[in-house]
Amino acid sequence: MLCMKRVKILPIYLFGLLLFSLLICIQLIMFKENSTEDIATNSENTTLIWWTPFTLSDQYIQCGNVHCFVTNSRHLKYRDNVAFLFYGTHFNVSDLPLPRDIKIWGLFHEESPRNNPLLNHELTLSLFNYSSTFSRFSDLPLTLMYLKSLESLTSHEYYKTFEEKNLLNLSEIVYIQSDCDTPNNRDSYVKELMKYISIDSYGACLNNKKLPTSLTNALETMMSQELLQLVANYKFSISFENAVCEDYITEKLWRPLIAGSIPIYLGSPSIKVSPLKYLNFI
């Protein structure tokens, strides 16, 4: 069950990406046992190369006295103090900065490892000194990157009572999905359910309800206020992830919880419901 590839970097985890770059930068400095004063004035000693071009290219990043130059320029790989960053979706074993010597390698990947089958193997993962992935066990976890805050889960900003929702004359359940060619074939489950209960389906998949034009760009609006207001009109939301992996939790779970709609969830086994019906993340 491969995960949908999101090519465009989202602001919601751009901060995490910056932190990960700084983590590699700091570790690189510690590895070379240089002082921060020397590093801050010597860009030759602190170069992070995105071996698989992604973002933050040809610019300096700074945390206190720590400076690093981030680039996609592979010809700089011969500098003494260089670390390599890889975006998991584009990682390819036939295109690596070999030989694998003492240089630091870092993996950034917000998707499930099924997005790139190579990342399912321990041998592949052992190539990296540091990682920033959806897993809580990575060096900089992205597990909760789609959850703005705990307060958003208890806020009544979008809350509507069942009585208020009944007055809207909508279906009980909403389904919003525009990636209709997923290996887990989630649309088939929804299609079968539609035989027994009315479901308002927005987006391209099993569409029977028109999505407002302002919401047609899924990557830009997946957690927008307007979309949350739309979801808040429904009692239940079908929330199927692209893959079932430990800790792989996206906006599909958090969006209905923030909007006050009960999620019908298929995804990370890390999500449990206690006997008291409270959602737990364990």
Side-chain angles (χ1 to χ4, degrees), residues 247-275:
D247 295 347
Y248 181 61
I249 307 165
T250 72
E251 80 287 346
K252 293 178 182 64
L253 175 65
W254 307 123
R255 185 167 56 206
L257 291 176
I258 292 171
S261 179
I262 300 171
I264 303 171
Y265 185 70
L266 174 65
S268 170
S270 306
I271 300 298
K272 307 289 184 181
V273 179
S274 74

Side-chain angles (χ1 to χ4, degrees), residues 197-217:
I197 190 170
S198 175
I199 298 174
D200 284 350
S201 181
Y202 297 86
C205 307
L206 304 175
N207 178 264
N208 60 19
K209 202 82 169 177
K210 186 175 181 180
L211 195 66
T213 304
S214 56
L215 294 176
T216 53
N217 188 327

Side-chain angles (χ1 to χ4, degrees), residues 8-62:
K8 181 174 181 178
I9 183 168
L10 302 176
I12 200 165
Y13 64 80
L14 181 58
F15 182 66
L17 177 61
L18 178 61
L19 284 180
F20 181 60
S21 299
L22 286 170
L23 169 67
I24 299 297
C25 182
I26 293 170
Q27 293 300 319
L28 187 58
I29 293 169
M30 294 175 62
F31 181 74
K32 289 297 182 180
E33 298 181 345
N34 290 325
S35 69
T36 55
E37 290 77 17
D38 292 337
I39 292 300
T41 58
N42 188 357
S43 62
E44 291 287 336
N45 288 337
T46 56
T47 303
L48 305 183
I49 298 177
W50 276 105
W51 194 257
T52 49
F54 187 47
T55 187
L56 295 177
S57 180
D58 295 332
Q59 60 183 282
Y60 286 93
I61 58 175
Q62 179 179 352

Side-chain angles (χ1 to χ4, degrees), residues 56-72:
L56 295 177
S57 180
D58 295 332
Q59 60 183 282
Y60 286 93
I61 58 175
Q62 179 179 352
C63 183
N65 290 328
V66 177
H67 294 235
C68 276
F69 180 63
V70 185
T71 181
N72 293 332

Side-chain angles (χ1 to χ4, degrees), residues 228-246:
L228 288 169
Q229 289 171 341
L230 175 65
V231 173
N233 292 329
Y234 292 86
K235 296 177 182 178
F236 301 91
S237 297
I238 295 178
S239 306
F240 290 177
E241 302 285 10
N242 295 308
V244 178
C245 300
E246 290 285 353

Side-chain angles (χ1 to χ4, degrees), residues 5-260:
K5 297 181 180 179
R6 296 190 174 102
V7 177
K8 181 174 181 178
I9 183 168
L10 302 176
I12 200 165
Y13 64 80
L14 181 58
F15 182 66
L17 177 61
L18 178 61
L19 284 180
F20 181 60
S21 299
L22 286 170
L23 169 67
I24 299 297
C25 182
I26 293 170
Q27 293 300 319
L28 187 58
I29 293 169
M30 294 175 62
F31 181 74
K32 289 297 182 180
E33 298 181 345
N34 290 325
S35 69
T36 55
E37 290 77 17
D38 292 337
I39 292 300
T41 58
N42 188 357
S43 62
E44 291 287 336
N45 288 337
T46 56
T47 303
L48 305 183
I49 298 177
W50 276 105
W51 194 257
T52 49
F54 187 47
T55 187
L56 295 177
S57 180
D58 295 332
Q59 60 183 282
Y60 286 93
I61 58 175
Q62 179 179 352
C63 183
N65 290 328
V66 177
H67 294 235
C68 276
F69 180 63
V70 185
T71 181
N72 293 332
S73 301
R74 292 186 174 190
H75 70 274
L76 298 178
K77 68 179 182 178
Y78 299 107
R79 288 184 173 182
D80 291 334
N81 202 12
V82 168
F84 298 105
L85 303 180
F86 300 85
Y87 180 48
T89 297
H90 303 144
F91 179 78
N92 188 336
V93 292
S94 65
D95 180 26
L96 298 175
L98 299 176
R100 180 68 177 96
D101 52 21
I102 61 174
K103 288 185 172 63
I104 293 176
W105 287 19
L107 171 68
F108 181 85
H109 198 211
E110 84 286 7
E111 294 285 2
S112 157
R114 297 179 186 273
N115 179 256
N116 185 339
L118 289 171
L119 300 178
N120 282 315
H121 302 284
E122 288 295 331
L123 183 60
T124 305
L125 296 176
S126 68
L127 292 172
F128 305 102
N129 304 91
Y130 300 96
S131 66
S132 181
T133 72
F134 66 88
S135 172
R136 76 184 83 177
F137 301 111
S138 66
D139 297 286
L140 186 63
L142 301 173
T143 314
L144 302 178
M145 66 179 179
Y146 290 102
L147 180 61
K148 182 179 179 180
S149 67
L150 290 177
E151 289 73 21
S152 65
L153 294 177
T154 57
S155 170
H156 286 192
E157 180 178 357
Y158 303 100
Y159 177 75
K160 289 184 174 70
T161 65
F162 272 19
E163 289 74 16
E164 291 174 314
K165 296 181 182 188
N166 288 337
L167 296 175
L168 299 174
N169 294 319
L170 297 170
S171 299
E172 303 281 326
I173 304 173
V174 64
Y175 182 55
I176 304 175
Q177 188 58 54
S178 295
D179 181 11
C180 311
D181 188 25
T182 56
N184 67 355
N185 203 21
R186 60 187 166 195
D187 281 356
S188 64
Y189 296 97
V190 180
K191 186 176 181 179
E192 181 67 19
L193 185 59
M194 283 178 164
K195 296 178 181 179
Y196 306 97
I197 190 170
S198 175
I199 298 174
D200 284 350
S201 181
Y202 297 86
C205 307
L206 304 175
N207 178 264
N208 60 19
K209 202 82 169 177
K210 186 175 181 180
L211 195 66
T213 304
S214 56
L215 294 176
T216 53
N217 188 327
L219 293 182
E220 293 284 354
T221 62
M222 64 171 61
M223 291 296 286
S224 69
Q225 185 178 38
E226 186 178 359
L227 186 57
L228 288 169
Q229 289 171 341
L230 175 65
V231 173
N233 292 329
Y234 292 86
K235 296 177 182 178
F236 301 91
S237 297
I238 295 178
S239 306
F240 290 177
E241 302 285 10
N242 295 308
V244 178
C245 300
E246 290 285 353
D247 295 347
Y248 181 61
I249 307 165
T250 72
E251 80 287 346
K252 293 178 182 64
L253 175 65
W254 307 123
R255 185 167 56 206
L257 291 176
I258 292 171

